[in-house]
């Protein structure tokens, strides 16, 4: 099953309307995004909890890493640079952190609040190589902006 971003946006809009609690919003998005596409093997948020440190937030899938410094891994790179990380082969990413040995490709998007500050990253892992497209990155960035910014 492939995600219909139009349907996903409508569902998320309906479920999150009027909600302002970030953890509740992250939990809802993690669930809806994860179950929208068979490519999404692990879907979740890492929250900025201290300077230069991410801590696991709401997610769907197997266990994730509990903490990730901004200086390490794909999630750290997204938080550090504020840029989307579209990684077709995690083994080729210098400094990749193997939170799950089944991960073959990864898409990580920074999550910005209304002031433009990175408050989290959305991490989506796939057990398939080269699973993600620029369309995935663009559509998911749009969803994150609508919900958090």
């Amino acid at each position: 099953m492939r995600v219909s971003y139009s349907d996903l946006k409508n569902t998320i809009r309906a479920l999150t309307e009027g909600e302002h609690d970030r953890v509740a919003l992250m939990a809802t998005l993690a669930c809806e995004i994860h179950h929208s596409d068979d490519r999404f093997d692990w879907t979740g948020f890492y929250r900025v909890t201290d300077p230069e440190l991410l801590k696991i937030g709401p997610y769907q899938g197997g266990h994730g890493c509990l903490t990730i410094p901004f200086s390490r891994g794909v999630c750290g790179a997204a938080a550090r640079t504020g840029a989307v990380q579209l990684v077709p082969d995690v083994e080729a990413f210098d400094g990749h952190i193997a939170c799950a040995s089944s991960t073959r490709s990864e898409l990580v998007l920074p999550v910005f609040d209304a002031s433009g500050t990175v408050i989290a990253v959305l991490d989506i892992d796939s057990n398939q190589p080269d699973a993600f497209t620029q369309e995935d990155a663009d559509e998911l960035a749009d969803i994150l902006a609508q919900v958090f910014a």
Side-chain angles (χ1 to χ4, degrees), residues 5 8 12 25-34 36 40 42-48 54-55 57-60 68 74-76 78-79 83-86 106-112 118-125 132 136-145 147-148:
Y5 283 108
L8 182 61
I12 287 172
L25 292 167
M26 288 177 190
T28 301
L29 266 68
C31 180
E32 291 302 319
I33 293 168
H34 184 74
S36 71
F40 304 167
W42 192 97
T43 309
F45 289 87
Y46 283 94
R47 301 170 301 116
V48 178
L54 297 166
K55 259 194 195 179
Y59 68 91
Q60 299 278 309
I68 299 175
V74 182
C75 290
V84 171
Q85 304 294 308
L86 182 59
E106 194 165 355
L107 174 59
V108 182
L109 300 99
V111 179
F112 300 98
V118 175
I119 58 168
V121 297
L122 170 62
D123 180 18
I124 305 176
D125 297 350
F132 305 107
D136 294 319
D138 294 344
E139 293 286 354
L140 290 164
D142 185 51
I143 289 170
L144 293 172
V147 172
F148 294 101

Side-chain angles (χ1 to χ4, degrees), residues 4 6 11 29 37 43 61 93-94 101 104 126:
S4 162
S6 175
T11 299
L29 266 68
D37 196 304
T43 309
F93 188 91
D94 189 34
S101 61
R104 295 291 170 253
S126 181

